[in-house]
Amino acid sequence: MASIDIKNVRKDFGPVSVLKGVDLAIASGEFAVLVGPSGCGKSTLLRLIAGLEDASSGEIHIGGRRVDDLPPRDRDIAMVFQSYALYPHMNVRDNMGYSLRLKRTPQARIAEIVGRAGAKLGLEALGERKPRELSGGQRQRVAMGRAIVRNPKAFLFDEPLSNLDARMREQMRFEIRKLHRDLGATSVYVTHDQIEAMTMADRIVAMNAGIIQQVGTPLELYDDPANVFVAGFIGSPAMNFLTGEARRGETGVALSVGGKAFCTLPQAVAVPEDGRVTIGIRPERIRIGVGAGQAVEAAADLVETTGAASVVHVDLAGQAMKIFTTERLQLSQGQRIPLAIEAKDVCLFDPAGGGRLR
Amino acid sequence: MRGSPRVRLIKWSLHYGVLFLFVVAALFPLYWLVKISLTPNDSLYTHSIDLWPATISLEHYATVIGNSDFLLFFRNSIIVSGVTAIASTLLAAAAGYAFSRFVFRGRYWIVGVMLVTQMFPLVIVITPIFSIFGPLGLTNSLTGLIIIYTAFNIPFATFLMQSFFDGIPKELEEAAMIDGATRFKALLQIIAPLTLPGIAATMGFCFTGAWGEILFALLLNSAASTSTFPVGLLLYSTRATIEFGPMMAAGVLALLPVCIFFFLIQRYLVQGLTAGAVKG
Ligand SMILES: Nc1ncnc2c1ncn2[C@@H]1O[C@H](COP(=O)(O)OP(=O)(O)OP(=O)(O)O)[C@@H](O)[C@H]1O
Ligand SMILES: [Mg+2]
């Protein structure tokens, strides 16, 4: 177990700047999830930690030791690849034991360690099989097994579940978490799936375009996003963004959308000169009907239901908005419905830079 | 898409008819070679053309093995082709791996130069090579032939090996390197076993190329002690006569090493060794 410290790391591929100065401290034993859209540099950051790629500048420390100049084999980390990267010509047992063999561990000891890891992952019966004779889920477990027999300082996962079907993914999510609870090893987990990030992380590192946008616990990111990117990326269905105006009044900041009153924030907020703001509100925080908070009227458009809950698409002064509700509603298109919006649920963003207005 | 039984029968017949014609056309010369090599001398020059001789005899084989330098030519050919195959494949594997995995300065130019070497006919370079090799003592020497063949095989063999390495996901080495291997160890223990089909194919290609080469073998080596078997075959064709029987018998014998070689490597030629490395 070890901490991982990344200090002002940049990575350029020729003229393309992929990581633009990343600072990140991951505590010993923490399960950190790197999340962001495709191409934002998550894998690149992970490969820098692993030593598969050299940073253009900056420092990487594992367990307090600077590792920039160490080859992957001397960094004492294990990695689970998205493609699993099992050795096709070796059976499951040899795949899992390869790192121990390289360390010249005695045969009997290897068998013992691999056996224990196999039992933990339910692979006992598969020891003799070659990777091509395994299902996707089993391959995934072997890849996990190969990592845990190492007993490394840290685990790195690069989208390990993205090749599995939805149900399998859910199960492995749970198993990886349990494994982490048992082993307590520092883990960096890369995904572009915000649900994986929310459910698995001790701390989420949200990245976009090579820059870390926000670091925090899942609920911190959910409730208190630092900018439009994080607000829109975390949460499903995604946060609603409306273009509106903010006007400072005596009782606080009055927000309006398309000229109609939307909500009044009691606290002082730094509003831009021209008063134009992006208003963010989560779909499940909007209540249909009359209740606490500002009353707003919208026109129903479409209802999508999953059985447990529904998403109601509405039109508010010409802007589309989604409402998440567990009530079963019968709404016809164009029907006027009253909505209740509470000031505490509203986030304001700067439409120019996307930063949060507080 | 199936069609009626009759249409299917016609398709089937066409399919196998074409295949049959192809196989016959490909194998007929071989068959003729074997036939003549087994025909006794006295019935060889009769006017009737038979598909199979009335009596068969091994007299030509006896002549070739007992009364000529053919065993020597054979030995020379096997040494030259074997060493060429191994040397070209090793060098091509190293170069192909570098092209497949690394970005380095000059890479583009090296590929370009290698392509250029493949563009002009070999005849052009024979004279310069002869005048370079003479003073170095590389004419009338098996080493000289090995150097030439290896050099000429390497560009194509390199591209061949590169394409095999390209087919192996680089995550495999990366996983091995994270598991504690050096790059060289990963190459040896993980990548090499998976490249065996490629190595076998490349070796086969280089071996047969060197085995049948005659231009350099004829022009660089004039002494019988360093002649290879294709040159030896020519000895049967003199200004006055062509001794078909022994020539064909020698030809049949010359096929054997190639057959044995391919028999040995054929199990590595099967594809699909990398199956299961990544998501199925
Ligand atoms: N070897 C390379 N050479 C040039 N550009 C590269 C290289 N590797 C990655 N990139 C670029 O760097 C950017 C980030 O790549 P990276 O693989 O880190 O993305 P990612 O966040 O992992 O995306 P995904 O979710 O799709 O895996 C991409 O735009 C990619 O094109
Ligand atoms: Mg990636």
Side-chain angles (χ1 to χ4, degrees):
Chain A
M1 262 199 283
S3 60
I4 299 175
D5 292 289
I6 295 163
K7 293 180 186 154
N8 195 22
V9 162
R10 304 181 56 89
K11 176 70 185 172
D12 307 314
F13 288 108
V16 190
S17 189
V18 174
L19 296 178
K20 300 162 189 165
V22 169
D23 283 290
L24 181 61
I26 296 164
S28 179
E30 188 172 30
F31 197 100
V33 175
L34 273 176
V35 68
S38 190
C40 72
K42 309 178 294 287
S43 298
T44 305
L45 183 53
L46 204 66
R47 293 167 59 81
L48 285 170
I49 299 173
L52 296 172
E53 216 87 64
D54 292 324
S56 304
S57 68
E59 297 178 15
I60 298 171
H61 300 254
I62 297 176
R65 178 171 175 217
R66 189 161 176 191
V67 295
D68 300 46
D69 293 328
L70 295 182
R73 65 175 182 280
D74 294 330
R75 297 193 181 191
D76 195 14
I77 37 95
M79 182 155 168
V80 177
F81 291 81
Q82 175 173 2
S83 63
Y84 312 147
L86 301 179
Y87 311 129
H89 56 302
M90 295 184 188
N91 65 22
V92 167
R93 211 155 359 79
D94 294 342
N95 257 287
M96 291 184 15
Y98 183 63
S99 60
L100 301 174
R101 212 177 89 204
L102 287 172
K103 276 193 242 164
R104 306 195 184 289
T105 313
Q107 280 300 326
R109 183 94 184 98
I110 295 181
E112 184 194 327
I113 297 174
V114 169
R116 204 156 352 106
K120 202 173 253 166
L121 293 161
L123 293 169
E124 300 98 323
L126 304 175
E128 297 299 326
R129 298 239 198 128
K130 293 274 175 66
R132 66 170 164 278
E133 298 158 348
L134 301 175
S135 72
Q138 290 166 334
R139 284 177 201 177
Q140 215 285 327
R141 280 163 208 268
V142 177
M144 296 282 303
R146 192 167 64 179
I148 63 176
V149 299
R150 296 273 312 277
N151 194 19
K153 283 199 186 122
F155 287 102
L156 308 178
F157 300 88
D158 193 356
E159 310 206 18
L161 305 186
S162 60
N163 286 336
L164 302 177
D165 65 43
R167 206 163 289 272
M168 197 67 204
R169 197 147 62 211
E170 222 167 275
Q171 189 188 338
M172 285 310 298
R173 213 155 72 192
F174 174 68
E175 287 188 23
I176 292 176
R177 273 305 285 171
K178 273 211 305 200
L179 218 55
H180 177 255
R181 196 179 57 196
D182 293 350
L183 302 173
T186 313
S187 305
V188 185
Y189 185 105
V190 163
T191 179
H192 62 253
D193 178 353
Q194 57 91 20
I195 297 194
E196 251 171 55
M198 288 298 287
T199 51
M200 299 178 79
D202 290 333
R203 272 201 311 161
I204 295 181
V205 180
M207 274 183 78
N208 191 29
I211 296 169
I212 291 184
Q213 305 288 326
Q214 189 173 2
V215 182
T217 64
L219 290 181
E220 277 168 14
L221 265 70
Y222 190 83
D223 293 335
D224 197 12
N227 54 38
V228 168
F229 169 79
V230 176
F233 195 80
I234 302 288
S236 171
M239 185 184 267
N240 294 299
F241 295 111
L242 302 166
T243 309
E245 283 93 50
R247 209 159 304 283
R248 213 164 309 181
E250 272 146 40
T251 51
V253 177
L255 301 176
S256 59
V257 175
K260 289 193 190 148
F262 183 78
C263 180
T264 302
L265 306 181
Q267 75 274 27
V269 177
V271 182
E273 284 295 300
D274 62 358
R276 295 177 63 79
V277 290
T278 300
I279 302 169
I281 183 159
R282 294 216 174 265
E284 72 277 15
R285 295 291 164 80
I286 305 171
R287 290 191 31 78
I288 297 178
V290 184
Q294 176 81 44
V296 176
E297 204 183 48
D301 189 13
L302 198 83
V303 181
E304 294 171 327
T305 182
T306 58
S310 307
V311 174
V312 183
H313 295 252
V314 300
D315 180 296
L316 183 86
Q319 299 188 47
M321 199 164 75
K322 281 183 260 181
I323 302 165
F324 182 87
T325 173
T326 50
E327 283 170 59
R328 298 194 170 179
L329 298 166
Q330 297 291 332
L331 296 171
S332 53
Q333 193 190 359
Q335 188 179 336
R336 311 294 301 177
I337 47 172
L339 306 176
I341 307 241
E342 286 193 66
K344 68 173 173 49
D345 297 326
V346 172
C347 301
L348 285 192
F349 302 97
D350 181 357
R356 178 85 178 266
L357 300 173
R358 292 178 197 271
Chain B
M1 263 304 285
R2 271 294 165 90
S4 72
R6 230 183 67 205
V7 173
R8 258 195 290 162
L9 182 69
I10 293 172
K11 277 186 179 168
W12 185 91
S13 324
L14 269 177
H15 181 80
Y16 282 96
V18 170
L19 271 182
F20 179 76
L21 280 180
F22 177 78
V23 169
V24 167
L27 290 183
F28 189 77
L30 262 180
Y31 159 74
W32 211 246
L33 182 78
V34 173
K35 186 214 118 178
I36 294 181
S37 75
L38 292 171
T39 309
N41 235 345
D42 31 339
S43 47
L44 196 54
Y45 297 101
T46 54
H47 285 293
S48 67
I49 294 174
D50 302 320
L51 275 182
W52 196 246
T55 57
I56 62 169
S57 96
L58 293 174
E59 63 188 69
H60 302 311
Y61 289 89
T63 317
V64 167
I65 292 170
N67 274 338
S68 73
D69 284 336
F70 250 84
L71 290 183
L72 177 65
F73 300 156
F74 255 66
R75 194 207 61 162
N76 290 344
S77 265
I78 285 177
I79 291 173
V80 169
S81 307
V83 176
T84 299
I86 291 168
S88 334
T89 306
L90 279 182
L91 292 170
Y97 182 75
F99 281 131
S100 169
R101 292 299 196 259
F102 304 122
V103 180
F104 49 90
R105 205 169 307 165
R107 179 195 148 113
Y108 178 81
W109 289 105
I110 295 174
V111 172
V113 168
M114 281 173 41
L115 277 176
V116 167
T117 64
Q118 302 291 290
M119 282 175 191
F120 50 82
L122 294 186
V123 197
I124 298 177
V125 293
I126 283 190
T127 319
I129 283 179
F130 191 82
S131 53
I132 294 169
F133 272 26
L136 293 174
L138 290 173
T139 52
N140 270 326
S141 115
L142 298 183
T143 316
L145 280 187
I146 290 171
I147 290 173
I148 294 271
Y149 293 167
T150 304
F152 279 108
N153 268 327
I154 278 178
F156 186 76
T158 299
F159 295 133
L160 208 59
M161 285 307 301
Q162 183 194 341
S163 71
F164 283 107
F165 284 123
D166 284 346
I168 296 176
K170 78 177 194 316
E171 279 100 340
L172 288 184
E173 279 131 297
E174 292 177 346
M177 280 155 65
I178 287 177
D179 262 352
T182 58
R183 180 174 279 278
F184 186 68
K185 215 171 208 173
L187 176 60
L188 228 54
Q189 296 182 342
I190 306 295
I191 304 304
L194 300 173
T195 325
L196 279 182
I199 290 175
T202 308
M203 272 187 136
F205 170 79
C206 296
F207 186 90
T208 43
W211 186 257
E213 206 284 337
I214 185 155
L215 200 56
F216 283 97
L218 189 63
L219 295 178
L220 291 186
N221 293 0
S222 48
S225 63
T226 55
S227 283
T228 55
F229 116 87
V231 178
L233 267 191
L234 287 183
L235 296 179
Y236 288 107
S237 137
T238 62
R239 195 162 299 186
T241 62
I242 297 179
E243 291 180 68
F244 278 113
M247 197 180 195
M248 298 299 141
V252 172
L253 291 176
L255 285 175
L256 290 181
V258 182
C259 292
I260 292 170
F261 187 79
F262 272 92
F263 179 77
L264 289 178
I265 65 173
Q266 60 90 19
R267 78 192 182 92
Y268 299 109
L269 284 174
V270 293
Q271 282 300 321
L273 273 179
T274 52
V278 298
K279 186 201 182 242

